[in-house]
Amino acid sequence: MDTLNEVIDSVRIGRAEACRVKESGSWGMRFPAFADSGFHILLRGSAWLITATGRPRALKTGDVVLAPFGAEHGLSHEPCLLKDLPPAVMSEHPHGPGPADVEFLSGAYWLDHGQVHPCLGALPEVLVVSPDYERASRLWSLADLLGVAVSGTQPGSGVIRPALLDLLLTHVLRQWLEWNRAADRPEIGDPAISVALREIHTSPHKPWTVQQLGQTVGMSRTAFTKRFTALVGKPPMTYVTGWRLRYAARLLRETNAPLATIARQVGYSTEFAFGAAFRREYGIAPGRFRGLGSRQVRGAQGK
């Protein structure tokens, strides 16, 4: 199982946004906590990363800051307290003529269901990657392309922006995990659980039970449940349901397939049963989910 691909698939359920920020002189901004994933790429100059815990961290050109599950953090021209920074606004920041002291891209995946993938949840609240651009030149090329795409002036920018963000996040996560092997999910190294996860992911339409999954990997129901829950963080059938509905959300966003067809693809015998499960998970009917933007979905969930 490619856990990194699964993480990217999970964030693709939502909407990708990015903007370019230019600042000079004294500046600072705080990014409030939110139930999504966000990042920044420092394109020019230097800055300080400010978090609620830990000391301010100096950033240099090319550094990437990733908030895997939307933890509160800030960026500033100098070390300071997080509470002293004004809230950031996710939009282009106007700047006068001439080069700015600092320039960076800020991006976010607005997750429609307000949940992050368990693998993202296992990462630090805020992490910094200082890529070796000589070895990973593609990452800097992606940053350049993304900088053009966020301007919105080129034809097709709205289409390519999510793809560029997907690629960028993939490269950043892969490099960070290469440097921090101990942070990887424990189930990756467990052959039995890895096989079970692969079966769930590739065949969500099958009528899975704990007994069947245990038999697939040659384990008793009790032993399988205990090991799966310990490594994945939730019982097998809870995971199966969550994966089916995440996959369904992707199909709703990315295809025009009828609801009945999607229901069968993710293991529900009827459209009614699928709709009921989807509403329990997302707080909104599948058809309405398909028609609403990610922020509208979060608003509907709050009603």
Side-chain angles (χ1 to χ4, degrees):
M1 181 194 68
D2 190 334
T3 304
L4 190 56
N5 282 347
E6 184 189 341
V7 171
I8 301 301
D9 283 345
S10 75
V11 297
R12 286 177 60 211
I13 294 171
R15 300 296 192 198
E17 296 182 2
C19 67
R20 184 191 293 267
V21 181
K22 298 180 180 180
E23 297 286 353
S24 291
S26 299
W27 64 275
M29 58 191 69
R30 173 172 48 85
F31 299 86
F34 66 121
D36 305 286
S37 298
F39 68 86
H40 314 283
I41 308 174
L42 196 57
L43 301 176
R44 177 199 295 272
S46 60
W48 289 85
L49 171 65
I50 312 299
T51 59
T53 59
R55 297 179 178 178
R57 175 165 178 173
L59 303 174
K60 63 182 184 301
T61 299
D63 283 352
V64 179
V65 177
L66 178 63
F69 45 96
E72 185 179 34
H73 64 284
L75 297 175
S76 176
H77 73 287
E78 65 179 359
C80 62
L81 297 177
L82 185 60
K83 66 181 180 64
D84 294 334
L85 295 175
V89 177
M90 193 70 170
S91 63
E92 294 288 339
H93 288 226
H95 188 270
D101 292 342
V102 63
E103 182 177 354
F104 56 91
L105 295 177
S106 286
Y109 287 92
W110 302 96
L111 307 183
D112 290 330
H113 55 310
Q115 298 175 357
V116 297
H117 190 276
C119 295
L120 290 179
L123 297 176
E125 288 189 347
V126 183
L127 58 92
V128 177
V129 177
S130 298
D132 182 350
Y133 288 106
E134 292 185 0
R135 293 180 54 197
S137 59
R138 288 176 297 178
L139 186 56
W140 193 249
S141 298
L142 285 172
D144 285 340
L145 289 171
L146 184 58
V148 174
V150 299
S151 69
T153 59
Q154 299 294 323
S157 294
V159 176
I160 66 174
R161 188 182 302 124
L164 290 173
L165 286 171
D166 286 347
L167 288 170
L168 191 63
L169 180 59
T170 300
H171 280 282
V172 170
L173 284 175
R174 180 176 287 119
Q175 186 158 340
W176 193 87
L177 290 172
E178 285 177 355
W179 296 344
N180 298 269
R181 288 294 183 182
D184 210 349
R185 292 289 295 174
E187 69 265 27
I188 294 176
D190 188 295
I193 301 306
S194 181
V195 169
L197 288 169
R198 185 171 63 247
E199 289 295 319
I200 294 169
H201 297 163
T202 58
S203 302
H205 63 282
K206 290 186 177 181
W208 292 114
T209 64
V210 176
Q211 185 71 31
Q212 290 172 329
L213 287 169
Q215 291 175 349
T216 299
V217 298
M219 299 176 65
S220 69
R221 183 180 187 278
T222 301
F224 173 76
T225 299
K226 183 177 180 179
R227 186 184 300 181
F228 189 101
T229 303
L231 295 178
V232 179
K234 59 184 65 177
M237 295 314 297
T238 300
Y239 187 91
V240 168
T241 298
W243 171 250
R244 283 172 169 167
L245 296 176
R246 287 199 301 274
Y247 183 44
R250 281 189 55 204
L251 293 176
L252 288 167
R253 285 294 192 210
E254 299 176 4
T255 76
N256 294 319
L259 296 184
T261 300
I262 293 177
R264 290 192 297 272
Q265 287 181 283
V266 298
Y268 290 90
S269 58
T270 67
E271 185 179 330
F272 176 81
F274 166 60
F278 197 91
R279 282 192 296 272
R280 284 194 297 271
E281 181 76 4
Y282 293 95
I284 189 173
R288 192 176 176 210
F289 177 95
R290 169 177 268 168
L292 291 178
S294 59
R295 290 179 177 177
Q296 290 173 296
V297 170
R298 285 201 300 276
Q301 289 175 319
K303 294 180 178 178

